[in-house]
């Protein structure tokens, strides 16, 4: 487990270097994507590096962590829409090589793991973290052996995410998410955390017991995980 601390800009730049190293070594890498506020700086940096010709996504495949149930890709709060707007539009990726779990036909949720496997497995998965320790939408109590599945969102998670909607009533009650096992299968993982609101959960994640009560604490068991933290998120370590 590696921990890198810096300003928001520095951690985005350093995390992006992991993509540079990977894509130089393996131009057809499989990348795991996340949404939310946290990876936006990283995505901007990746778009910049792509524009400058440092990296190419031409042969890359992506699999996102999660999607709201009931929102299709045209909804401006769907995670498909988020990825198109914040990353895919700005890089030379073939959009056909990008996957986000299906929020409409949830019956196919478990097939997502098979698709990931068929693509060769995720080489580098980026994660954010919820204040309750969730990764993807794997809330506290999610079993370690879970694969991609439908979850009911915690009220707290819906409240936190309501900042992107007109009101909390519009926030979907369910999501499809990669499971803990799906996430842990990635060859390398990076977790980004920014801001004071994440300080307490970052301390529990890195220095607390490994427990399903704090889903991100399971990452302590992963052989290649790097935490990129800004000074505020790292302030209780
Ligand atoms: C999003 C996701 C979530 C977020 C987490 C933190 O795809 O999987 O686990 O990473 O809720 O969200 P932000 O970055 O908005 O604080």
């Amino acid at each position: 487990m590696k921990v890198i601390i810096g300003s928001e800009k520095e951690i985005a730049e350093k995390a992006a270097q992991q993509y540079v190293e990977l894509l130089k070594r393996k131009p057809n890498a499989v990348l795991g994507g996340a949404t939310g506020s946290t990876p936006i700086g990283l995505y901007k940096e990746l778009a910049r590096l792509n524009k400058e010709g440092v990296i190419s996504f031409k042969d890359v495949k992506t699999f996102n962590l999660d999607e709201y149930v009931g929102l299709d890709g045209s909804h401006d709060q769907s995670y498909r829409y988020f990825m198109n707007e914040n990353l895919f539009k700005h890089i030379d990726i073939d959009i056909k090589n990008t996957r986000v779990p299906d929020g409409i036909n949830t019956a196919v949720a478990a097939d997502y793991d098979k698709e990931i496997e068929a693509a060769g497995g995720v080489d580098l998965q980026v994660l954010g973290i919820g204040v309750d320790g969730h990764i993807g939408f794997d809330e506290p109590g999610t079993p370690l052996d879970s694969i991609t599945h439908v979850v009911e969102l915690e009220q707290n998670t819906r409240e936190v995410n309501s900042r992107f909607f007109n009101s909390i009533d519009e926030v979907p009650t369910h999501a499809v998410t990669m499971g803990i096992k799906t996430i842990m299968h990635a060859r390398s993982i990076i977790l980004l955390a920014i801001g004071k609101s994440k300080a307490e959960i970052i301390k529990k994640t890195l220095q607390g017991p490994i427990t399903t009560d704090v889903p991100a604490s399971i990452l302590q068991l992963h052989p290649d995980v790097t935490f990129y933290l800004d000074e505020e998120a790292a302030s209780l370590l």
Side-chain angles (χ1 to χ4, degrees):
M1 185 165 86
K2 276 190 251 160
V3 182
I4 291 174
I5 300 168
S7 69
E8 202 175 320
K9 187 166 183 296
E10 279 163 358
I11 58 169
E13 286 169 1
K14 287 189 180 155
Q17 282 313 308
Q18 249 188 271
Y19 288 78
V20 173
E21 277 157 37
L22 171 64
L23 294 177
K24 292 233 179 291
R25 179 165 55 79
K26 189 175 180 185
N28 62 347
V30 178
L31 304 178
T35 61
S37 321
T38 313
I40 289 178
L42 167 67
Y43 293 162
K44 286 203 169 117
E45 184 61 12
L46 293 177
R48 189 185 70 76
L49 291 165
N50 184 215
K51 204 176 209 161
E52 290 180 0
V54 180
I55 45 175
S56 170
F57 295 85
K58 225 165 26 72
D59 299 319
V60 161
K61 288 200 174 95
T62 69
F63 287 89
N64 256 71
L65 281 168
D66 43 14
E67 179 59 284
Y68 285 119
V69 169
L71 304 192
D72 74 17
S74 63
H75 191 289
D76 66 0
Q77 289 309 325
S78 72
Y79 286 173
R80 157 55 72 185
Y81 189 92
F82 177 101
M83 289 308 294
N84 289 349
E85 292 301 310
N86 288 290
L87 184 63
F88 301 149
K89 257 189 185 178
H90 309 286
I91 58 176
D92 63 348
I93 199 160
D94 181 347
I95 200 76
K96 289 198 289 298
N97 288 339
T98 68
R99 291 278 290 118
V100 176
D102 193 329
I104 303 296
N105 181 11
T106 54
V108 299
D111 293 345
Y112 201 62
D113 285 62
K114 290 182 201 138
E115 283 180 48
I116 295 172
E117 211 177 303
V122 171
D123 291 296
L124 179 57
Q125 174 68 55
V126 60
L127 300 173
I129 183 170
V131 289
D132 61 358
H134 71 238
I135 47 177
F137 271 128
D138 292 314
E139 302 278 14
T142 305
L144 296 183
D145 62 354
S146 50
I147 60 167
T148 304
H149 62 298
V150 176
V151 281
E152 182 169 0
L153 299 181
E154 296 286 339
Q155 185 59 13
N156 176 263
T157 299
R158 292 184 66 233
E159 275 162 24
V160 171
N161 288 6
S162 67
R163 68 191 192 282
F164 300 116
F165 292 80
N166 293 322
S167 79
I168 185 152
D169 300 331
E170 286 182 15
V171 184
T173 54
H174 291 75
V176 192
T177 180
M178 284 187 192
I180 301 281
K181 186 171 158 191
T182 323
I183 294 171
M184 290 293 279
H185 264 169
R187 290 183 190 92
S188 304
I189 297 179
I190 69 182
L191 185 145
L192 296 163
I194 295 165
K196 217 172 181 49
S197 68
K198 301 288 171 70
E200 209 165 304
I201 196 64
I202 282 297
K203 183 174 172 57
K204 286 190 189 158
T205 294
L206 275 79
Q207 296 175 338
I210 297 168
T211 163
T212 52
D213 293 343
V214 179
S217 66
I218 312 297
L219 297 171
Q220 291 180 34
L221 298 173
H222 193 279
D224 182 2
V225 56
T226 308
F227 291 85
Y228 291 91
L229 312 172
D230 79 341
E231 280 101 0
E232 287 189 342
S235 59
L236 297 179
L237 295 179

